[in-house]
Amino acid sequence: MIVINALVELQEQLTAAKTQGRQIVLVPTMGALHEGHLSLVEIATAQPDAFVVLSIFVNPTQFGKNEDFDKYPRTLPEDIARLEELSVTPDVIFTPQVSEVYSEGIPERLEPRAGAIGSVFEGAARPGHFDGMLHIVSWFFRTVQPAIAVFGAKDAQQLYLIRRMVHREFADSITILEGKTIREESGLAKSSRNRFLSSEGLASASRIIQILRTVEAEIGAGQTPDAALDKARMALTGLSLAKLDYLELVDKSTFKPIADTFSGEALLLVAVILDGVRLIDNITLNIQEPA
Ligand code: AMP
């Protein structure tokens, strides 16, 4: 495992790997690694002949003006130590500098655009976030030219937009693998931001997944999605320190809210602000046709 921050050095490594017939597998992250990220690395290293590049880059263009870009944890020595404990480590940790990624300054207009799906849910709360995210992921795709890239199901809207970008801009030339959401014992989805929660906030945060599971059970038992969602919204709003941003069921294939007559795979999406910390989570529901 080597740490590289210069682009030329990365290109040398990639060229050598390709000459040896290895397939490039990319795992993009912002660092502050936890078991969720490590599970993606395990998926990556398990691919045949994988040459795994784990990138760590806190991308300024996906943070809004009042967001936590400066406060976002940067923990490279600890990240390296955690990766070294894996039975199979990535080949390269790529940590480019902002000045090299944005060598001509930050463009006025970030491409490709996230469009309408980029301005709902997380995009409504974080204007421009998904344009910045797609811009950087497409930069990494063009720079690293992976055969495979691995992302977490936890960031469902991000994953949806990345898959769509790979189809539209990269002619489906990159296989996107999805790692399941890794959780604390309490069920709370692991996140680099959990460290900012107070113990009271943590207790409320741990209830979120139970509320999502209740919605799943109630719909499974024949309640309408609307009724189940209304109850769950009240439960989330009642959590100590919590402010509910959204709880919504969307069609997994379109990311649009579903009607009560929907059947198929849906995503139950939630965002809650706890103690000022924005937490997101989701589960997939298989909704049967109403009897
Ligand atoms: P981030 O460092 O937050 O940009 O996340 C990097 C990658 O890790 C993204 O693909 C995330 O979806 C994924 N990820 C974050 N948290 C988790 C988790 N708890 N379980 C699985 N994957 C995760």
Side-chain angles (χ1 to χ4, degrees):
M1 185 168 78
I2 52 171
V3 181
I4 292 180
N5 50 54
L7 270 175
V8 275
E9 223 181 300
L10 175 76
Q11 295 308 342
E12 279 167 23
Q13 290 292 326
L14 292 174
T15 306
K18 282 184 195 155
T19 314
Q20 294 161 14
R22 311 273 297 274
Q23 65 171 344
I24 312 297
V25 185
L26 174 67
V27 184
T29 79
M30 297 201 296
L33 301 182
H34 51 64
E35 283 81 357
H37 300 113
L38 299 181
S39 73
L40 304 184
V41 174
E42 281 167 358
I43 293 171
T45 54
Q47 301 309 305
D49 303 316
F51 182 87
V52 176
V53 178
L54 171 102
S55 63
I56 296 181
F57 182 65
V58 185
N59 171 38
T61 64
Q62 70 191 69
F63 287 80
K65 280 198 183 66
N66 301 316
E67 289 185 0
D68 55 353
F69 175 69
D70 292 327
K71 221 175 80 177
Y72 199 85
R74 289 154 171 91
T75 58
L76 186 60
E78 288 91 331
D79 290 349
I80 294 172
R82 300 210 70 170
L83 291 164
E84 272 167 352
E85 281 169 18
L86 291 173
S87 55
V88 187
T89 55
D91 295 276
V92 169
I93 305 176
F94 178 43
T95 58
Q97 304 291 315
V98 173
S99 56
E100 203 162 22
V101 174
Y102 293 101
S103 56
E104 296 181 17
I106 291 180
E108 285 277 304
R109 186 180 160 83
L110 296 163
E111 304 273 359
R113 306 300 286 178
I117 303 293
S119 35
V120 291
F121 305 119
E122 283 313 283
R126 311 182 61 189
H129 166 70
F130 286 119
D131 291 326
M133 181 281 292
L134 284 183
H135 181 82
I136 195 63
V137 172
S138 107
W139 184 88
F140 275 108
F141 283 178
R142 282 181 282 111
T143 303
V144 177
Q145 300 200 356
I148 299 173
V150 192
F151 294 88
K154 164 152 184 288
D155 296 278
Q157 196 171 0
Q158 164 171 294
L159 187 54
Y160 178 88
L161 288 168
I162 289 169
R163 285 192 201 280
R164 198 183 65 179
M165 175 181 79
V166 166
H167 181 65
R168 289 182 177 173
E169 314 279 334
F170 293 86
D172 288 322
S173 59
I174 302 166
T175 301
I176 302 297
L177 299 181
E178 172 178 340
K180 72 174 173 39
T181 301
I182 303 297
R183 300 177 180 280
E184 305 286 352
E185 248 173 63
S186 65
L188 172 65
K190 299 228 180 209
S191 163
S192 313
R193 291 186 171 106
N194 290 351
R195 69 187 68 195
F196 299 127
L197 291 167
S198 64
S199 56
E200 193 182 347
L202 206 53
S204 289
S206 306
R207 291 270 303 125
I208 296 172
I209 183 67
Q210 297 163 10
I211 295 171
L212 300 187
R213 292 289 173 210
T214 303
V215 173
E216 179 180 35
E218 289 180 347
I219 294 176
Q223 239 182 58
T224 62
D226 268 353
L229 287 177
D230 277 348
K231 263 175 66 183
R233 287 189 187 111
M234 280 178 47
L236 288 163
T237 309
L239 292 176
S240 156
L241 303 176
K243 189 173 161 290
L244 172 64
D245 184 355
Y246 58 80
L247 174 75
E248 205 59 71
L249 260 171
V250 297
D251 181 336
K252 205 169 185 173
S253 65
T254 61
F255 229 83
K256 303 242 167 75
I258 62 163
D260 266 352
T261 50
F262 175 88
S263 64
E265 278 212 319
L267 281 165
L268 178 57
L269 307 170
V270 67
V272 176
I273 297 115
L274 266 172
D275 266 355
V277 181
R278 187 177 182 81
L279 299 178
I280 60 169
D281 201 349
N282 70 84
I283 57 173
T284 297
L285 303 193
N286 235 312
I287 300 185
Q288 311 292 318
E289 255 174 79

